[in-house]
C-alpha cells in the first residue's frame, strides 16, 4: 500500500470495517483508495461519506480498470474564477428576452433604442427564473452540496428563453437536504412571481397601436395566454383586470406575462418525477415508494394531452404535454437521487411539501397558450 496520503485525508484503517484498502494513489487532486468491499454499497457509502466530508473531501465509489475504488477529491463549494459560460448565456438571454418582449410592447424596429421599452418584461422573466435557481443554489451551498451558478437558456420563443438550470455534483447527505434543496427553488420562485404579479397588475396597460388594430384579419395572429387560478386570484384580490373586453386597444402590461412564466415554470418543475424539483421533493417525502409512483407520471401527461386535444380542441397545448410526457419517460429511466442517509423526513417538511404541491396545482392551466389565426 502506498503511503502517499494527504495529511488531511482519512486513513484506510478508519473505514477498514467496510472497505479493505490494498493501494492508495494520488492523481492530481484526487486520492484513490483501491480495495475490496466488506459491506454492501449502501452501507459502505453511508459509512465512509461522513468520514471524508468532515475532512473536506467529496467521496464516491467507482470502478476503474476493473477495480473498485473510493475516489476522494477536495470539496470546493466556491466559484473557480469568472464563470464565463454563465455570464455569456445570461447576456444572450437578456438580448433574447428583450427581442421577445419588444413584440409585447409593439416595437417594430428591433435595432432602435425603443427596444428598451421591453426592459421591464426582461427583468420580470429573468427575475422569476433567476430567483428560482438561486433558491436551489443557496440551499445547496448551505448543505455543502456542490452546485453551479444558474445557466440561462436563450431561445427565440414568445418569452425569449427556455428557463434556467443549475448543475449539482456529489452525494446528497440526507432526505432533509434533498427536500430543502428541491423545495427552495419553487418557493423562492413563487415568492418572486407574486411580487412580479402585483407589480405587473399595478402597471398601466399597453395601448395597441393603430397599425395592429387596422390590420386585415388574414394578416393577424392572436396569441392568448390562459392564466392559472393563482394569477386570477391575485388579480381578483387587487381588483385589477387581466382582460379589457370593452376596449380592444388595451392589453395587460407584459410584466404580467413574466408572472405567468414564473407560475408555468413552477408547475413544470413540480412534476413529481426524476431530477425535477417535484421528483426530489417526493423522493424525500416518501422514500423509495417514489419509484412506484414515478412510472405513472408519463401516462398522466399523455392522458392530459389526449384530453386537451380531443375535449378542449387545443392541438398546440396537446403537443406541449406530449413532449413533457416524453421528457418524463426519460426522467423515470434516469432515476432519482438516493441520499446517503435515507432516514424518513420530519412531519413539518412533509407538510411544507404538500403545501408546495398544492401551490403547483394552482399554477397549472391545461391550455397555457392558444394561438388563434
Amino acid at each position: 500500500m502506498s503511503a502517499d496520503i494527504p495529511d488531511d485525508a482519512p486513513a484506510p484503517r478508519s473505514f477498514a470495517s467496510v472497505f479493505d484498502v490494498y493501494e492508495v494513489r494520488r492523481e492530481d487532486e484526487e486520492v484513490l483508495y483501491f480495495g475490496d468491499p466488506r459491506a454492501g454499497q449502501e452501507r459502505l457509502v453511508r459509512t465512509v461519506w461522513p468520514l471524508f466530508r468532515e475532512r473536506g473531501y467529496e467521496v464516491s465509489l467507482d470502478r476503474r480498470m476493473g477495480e473498485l475504488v473510493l475516489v476522494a477529491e477536495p470539496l470546493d463549494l466556491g466559484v473557480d474564477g469568472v464563470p464565463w459560460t454563465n455570464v455569456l448565456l445570461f447576456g444572450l438571454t437578456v438580448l433574447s428576452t428583450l427581442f421577445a418582449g419588444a413584440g409585447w410592447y409593439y416595437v417594430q424596429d428591433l435595432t432602435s433604442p425603443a427596444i428598451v421599452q421591453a426592459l421591464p418584461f426582461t427583468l420580470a422573466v429573468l427575475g422569476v427564473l433567476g430567483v428560482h435557481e438561486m433558491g436551489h443554489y443557496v440551499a445547496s451551498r448551505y448543505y455543502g452540496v456542490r452546485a453551479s451558478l444558474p445557466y440561462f437558456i436563450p431561445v427565440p420563443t414568445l418569452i425569449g428563453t427556455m428557463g434556467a438550470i443549475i448543475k449539482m455534483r456529489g452525494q446528497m447527505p440526507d432526505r432533509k437536504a434533498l427536500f430543502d434543496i428541491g423545495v427552495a427553488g419553487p418557493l423562492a420562485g413563487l415568492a418572486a412571481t407574486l411580487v412580479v404579479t402585483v407589480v405587473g397588475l399595478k402597471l398601466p396597460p399597453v395601448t395597441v397601436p393603430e397599425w395592429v388594430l387596422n390590420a386585415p384579419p388574414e394578416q393577424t395572429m392572436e396569441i392568448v395566454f390562459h392564466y392559472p387560478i393563482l394569477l386570477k386570484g391575485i388579480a381578483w384580490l387587487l381588483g385589477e383586470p387581466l382582460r379589457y373586453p370593452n376596449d380592444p386597444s388595451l392589453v395587460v402590461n407584459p410584466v404580467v406575462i413574466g408572472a405567468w412564466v414564473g407560475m408555468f415554470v413552477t408547475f413544470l418543475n413540480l412534476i413529481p418525477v426524476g431530477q425535477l424539483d417535484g421528483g426530489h421533493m417526493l423522493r424525500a417525502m416518501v422514500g423509495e415508494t417514489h419509484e412506484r409512483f414515478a412510472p405513472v407520471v408519463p401516462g398522466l401527461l399523455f392522458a392530459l394531452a389526449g384530453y386537451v386535444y380531443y375535449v378542449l380542441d387545443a392541438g398546440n397545448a396537446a403537443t406541449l404535454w406530449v413532449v413533457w410526457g416524453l421528457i418524463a419517460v426519460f426522467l423515470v429511466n434516469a432515476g432519482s437521487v438516493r441520499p446517503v442517509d435515507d432516514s424518513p423526513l420530519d412531519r413539518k417538511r412533509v407538510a411544507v411539501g404538500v403545501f408546495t404541491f398544492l401551490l403547483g396545482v394552482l399554477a397549472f392551466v391545461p391550455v397555457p397558450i392558444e394561438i388563434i389565426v
Side-chain angles (χ1 to χ4, degrees):
M1 181 189 300
S2 170
D4 189 19
I5 304 176
D7 293 337
D8 58 351
R13 63 177 179 275
S14 64
F15 51 89
S17 62
V18 293
F19 197 72
D20 184 16
V21 177
Y22 56 75
E23 183 180 1
V24 180
R25 302 178 196 165
R26 294 185 65 176
E27 294 182 2
D28 297 326
E29 293 187 342
E30 292 182 341
V31 184
L32 308 179
Y33 297 78
F34 292 86
D36 299 312
R38 290 183 171 178
Q41 180 175 338
E42 185 175 343
R43 182 189 164 203
L44 193 161
V45 173
R46 188 170 63 246
T47 301
V48 303
W49 188 86
L51 296 175
F52 281 83
R53 177 52 70 96
E54 68 183 13
R55 297 292 191 94
Y57 284 86
E58 185 69 58
V59 65
S60 60
L61 184 64
D62 197 4
R63 184 175 290 276
R64 299 190 180 183
M65 302 297 291
E67 297 179 277
L68 277 177
V69 55
L70 286 173
V71 181
E73 54 183 326
L75 180 62
D76 183 9
L77 299 178
V79 177
D80 186 14
V82 179
W84 290 114
T85 301
N86 304 75
V87 172
L88 176 61
L89 288 174
F90 178 76
L92 291 175
T93 308
V94 169
L95 293 177
S96 63
T97 52
L98 272 175
F99 287 131
W104 298 108
Y105 289 90
Y106 302 101
V107 177
Q108 289 183 285
D109 186 359
L110 299 182
T111 62
S112 72
I115 197 173
V116 298
Q117 295 179 44
L119 191 58
F121 173 84
T122 292
L123 293 175
V125 172
L126 297 187
V128 296
L129 295 177
V131 170
H132 179 115
E133 297 303 330
M134 288 306 294
H136 292 311
Y137 180 77
V138 171
S140 298
R141 291 292 299 268
Y142 177 80
Y143 283 104
V145 176
R146 285 184 293 182
S148 70
L149 290 170
Y151 292 91
F152 286 85
I153 307 172
V155 178
T157 61
L158 292 173
I159 59 174
T161 179
M162 289 291 289
I165 59 172
I166 65 171
K167 295 192 298 183
M168 290 189 293
R169 294 178 57 199
Q171 295 283 347
M172 190 65 63
D174 49 32
R175 284 203 207 175
K176 182 174 70 172
L178 178 60
F179 178 82
D180 288 357
I181 292 172
V183 80
L187 289 182
L190 274 176
T193 298
L194 293 178
V195 173
V196 169
T197 302
V198 173
V199 171
L201 289 170
K202 290 297 183 180
L203 287 174
V206 172
T207 301
V208 182
E210 292 293 329
W211 60 269
V212 175
L213 293 173
N214 297 330
E218 62 273 12
Q219 296 181 11
T220 61
M221 179 180 68
E222 185 179 4
I223 301 172
V224 179
F225 280 76
H226 293 283
Y227 302 114
I229 295 174
L230 184 58
L231 205 156
K232 289 180 179 178
I234 296 172
W236 177 78
L237 287 173
L238 295 177
E240 300 288 346
L242 287 168
R243 314 277 186 204
Y244 298 88
N246 298 323
D247 190 347
S249 67
L250 296 178
V251 293
V252 70
N253 194 284
V255 170
V256 176
I257 303 301
W260 178 94
V261 170
M263 294 185 187
F264 186 57
V265 167
T266 296
F267 169 76
L268 293 179
N269 274 283
L270 285 175
I271 294 175
V273 66
Q275 302 295 315
L276 294 176
D277 300 343
H280 291 326
M281 291 166 56
L282 193 62
R283 175 61 179 80
M285 293 165 68
V286 302
E288 293 184 351
T289 305
H290 168 262
E291 296 176 3
R292 303 176 189 172
F293 176 77
V296 178
V297 175
L300 294 176
L301 290 170
F302 290 135
L304 175 60
Y307 170 77
V308 168
Y309 185 82
Y310 290 105
V311 178
L312 302 183
D313 193 25
N316 291 331
T319 302
L320 169 70
W321 298 124
V322 167
V323 170
W324 271 94
L326 295 173
I327 293 173
V329 170
F330 171 78
L331 292 173
V332 168
N333 292 329
S336 57
V337 174
R338 178 183 291 274
V340 174
D341 181 357
D342 211 1
S343 302
L345 201 64
D346 60 271
R347 292 184 178 180
K348 289 183 179 180
R349 282 181 168 82
V350 171
V352 171
V354 172
F355 173 72
T356 305
F357 279 123
L358 288 175
L359 289 177
V361 171
L362 294 178
F364 166 72
V365 59
V367 182
I369 302 175
E370 188 175 3
I371 300 176
I372 304 173
V373 180

